[in-house]
Amino acid sequence: MVRVSTTPRRVTAVFVLVTALLVAGCSGAGQRPAAGPASTPATESAPPSSAPPEDPATKAAALVAELSDEDLVGQVLMPYAYGDQATKVSAGSAAGNRALGGVDTPAEMIEKYRLGGLILVGFSADDPTQTNQETTNVDNPKQVRELTTGLREAAGRLPAGAAPFLIGTDQEYGVVTRITEGVTMLPSALGAGAAGDPELTEAAWRVAGTELAAMGINVDFAPVADVLVTRSTVIGSRSFGSDPGRAADQVGGAVRGLQTAGVAATLKHFPGHGHSAVDSHKDLPRLGQSRGKLAAEAWPPFTAGIEAGALAVMSAHLDVRSIDPGVAATFSYKLLTEVLRGELGFQGVVITDGMNMPPARRYEPGEAAVRALKAGNDLILMPPHVGKAYEGLLTALRDGTLPRGRLVEAATRVLTMKFTLGDAPAPELSTLGAPAHRAAARALAAGAVTVLRGRCDTTGVRGPVTVTSSGGRAHTRAALTEALTSAGVKVVPSGGTVVHLVGYGDGARDLRSDAAVTVAMDTPYVLASAKSPTLLATYSSSRASMTALADVLAGKARPTGRSPVKIPALPPTTCTN
C-alpha cells in the first residue's frame, strides 16, 4: 500500500525552490517565444543539484522542463467524459464526448488534450450536486477498475506519462457518494462528527482510501471541511458539524486516513460553503460574515487539514463580501493566493469546484479557465467544454494574458502531487468489503447513534416492531428490518411499535404522529417537530448505520453520540457518558 506523507514540509520547501527557478527561467529575456504546435520545452533550467533526485517536486520540475505548451496546458485540466469504458462507448456517450471535446471516447480526450486527470461522475438518489452530474461513469468496482486501467494506459503514452494520471471522484459517503455498489459504505461526515472520535474517523477513511485505490482512483474530492453554521440542504450532513474545533479534528482524521492509503484528500469548499444556505449549483452564494468571523468559524478545519498534509484544496463559487466582494472565490486572487496560500500556508494543489456550475458559466470556458488559473487555482475541474478551455488557456499563454510563470507553477504543483502519490500497484478488488473494513464502518456508525429525547437506558423497544418511513425509502426500511431481525427483534408489517425513519430533504410533513421512535438519518433538524417519546439520530442510512440503530433498539448497545449541530428545544444528547 502506498503511504502518502501527511507532513510534506520537505516536499513543499523543495517545490517552492525549484518552481521559483523554473519561473525565473521562463520570464524576461529567457522566456521562449510564443510557439505553434511544435513548441519548445518550458525551460532549460536544471533542478538544483542539492535536491534529492527522487523528491516529487524535483521530479515534477524536471518533467515540466521537457513539456511543450500544449502539454503544460493539458496538465492543468481535469474534465469529465462520457462512457463507462476508456476506448469503447455507446453511441450516446460518443455524441456527448463530441459535444464536450470533439472526440468519441475518454481515451481520445486524454490524448487530444494531453490531460492531467479525469473526474469520474455519477448519480445518487439524494444528491445535492446532481445538477452538474451530466453523465455517469460508474456502475460497480470491477467496471471502475477496468475503466481506470484504460484511462491510465492512454495517459501513459503522453509526454507527461512518466507521472501517474489523476483519476478523481466525489466519494464523500452519505448523500454524495459516486460509487455505492460493492464498496464499504461509511456513515456520513455528520455521523462521524456525532461519534466525535478522530481515531475512528481516520480508521474508516483509511478503508475508504484503500477501496478507492483498489478501483484505480487516486484523488478523492473529500473531506468536506465546511462548518455547518447555516442550516442548508446543499452541505447538510456532508459537514462534520457546526463546531469549528470538533470539525477540524474530524477533518484531520479523514485526511490522514485517505492519504495513508495513497489517495489524495481534497479539502472543500474553501473559503467555507457552510456559511451560506444558497446552493452554488444554482446561484452564487454571498457570504456576509466579517473576515474575522470567517477566520474563527470557517477556516479552522481547512487549517487542520492542511496541517495533516492534505494534498489538495477545492475552491468554491462563493462571493465573500468582506474580502473580495462581487468575485467568486474561484476567481479571487485575494482569497486563493493571499489568504489560502499566504495566510493559511497551503502549498499544494488548488482545484476549482465544477466549472460547469452556473457561477463559473458566467464566463465562456476559455476565459473562465484563464481567470481561475490567474487567481491561484492549479487544476480546472469539469469545464463545460474541454476544447474551449484548452484553446482559451493556450491562446492566453501565447498572447501574454496568462503569465507563463503561473502556468509553470500550476503544472509543477499538479505533477508534484502526482509524483507524491506514486504509481504503486493497486490493492486487489477483493479488499473491498473485507471484514476489517466493515468493522471500521460499524464502529464509526455505532459511535454516531444519538438519543435526543428519551432516556439513554430505555431505548430498547418491547414487543414486535413496525418499520415505516417517508416516501421512497424501501431499501433503507429493508436494511433496518434485516438488522432488527438479526438482533432478535420481531418485525411485523403493521400493528407493532412504530419506528419511523426520516432522511435527506424531509420536513415536518414527513413525520408520523403515532411513532414511538422517530429516527433522523440525515441532518437531525426535523426532530424538533417530532412528537415521538423517543428521538434518535444516525445521520446516515448506510447499512452500518442501520445495524448500529438496530443494536440500540434491541437494547444491545448504548447510544453514545452527541448531535454535532444545535436543534431547537433538544439537547445534544440525553445520555450522560
Side-chain angles (χ1 to χ4, degrees), residues 350-383:
V350 179
I351 305 173
T352 71
D353 204 345
M355 297 292 277
N356 61 344
M357 294 163 64
R361 296 188 79 145
R362 296 180 179 185
Y363 308 104
E364 63 86 22
E367 182 182 357
V370 172
R371 284 175 176 265
L373 210 65
K374 290 174 72 173
N377 293 283
D378 304 301
L379 200 54
I380 310 300
L381 187 67
M382 300 178 75

Side-chain angles (χ1 to χ4, degrees), residues 14 59 115 188 226 328 334 397 404 414 419 439 444 567:
V14 174
K59 292 172 69 176
L115 296 179
S188 68
D226 302 318
K334 291 181 180 179
L397 176 66
R404 181 172 299 279
V414 171
F419 284 123
L444 187 58
I567 309 166

Side-chain angles (χ1 to χ4, degrees), residues 189-190 192-198 201 205 223-229 235-236 238-256 267-268 274-275 296-306 308 563-565:
L190 202 61
D197 187 337
T201 301
W205 280 83
V224 171
D226 302 318
V227 179
L228 194 60
V229 171
I235 298 301
R238 302 167 67 191
S239 166
F240 288 101
S242 61
D243 182 275
R246 291 171 67 88
D249 291 340
Q250 294 296 316
V251 167
V255 167
R256 288 188 292 272
L267 308 174
K268 65 185 191 186
H275 280 63
E297 290 185 354
W299 298 344
F302 290 97
T303 300
I306 292 167
S563 176
V565 295

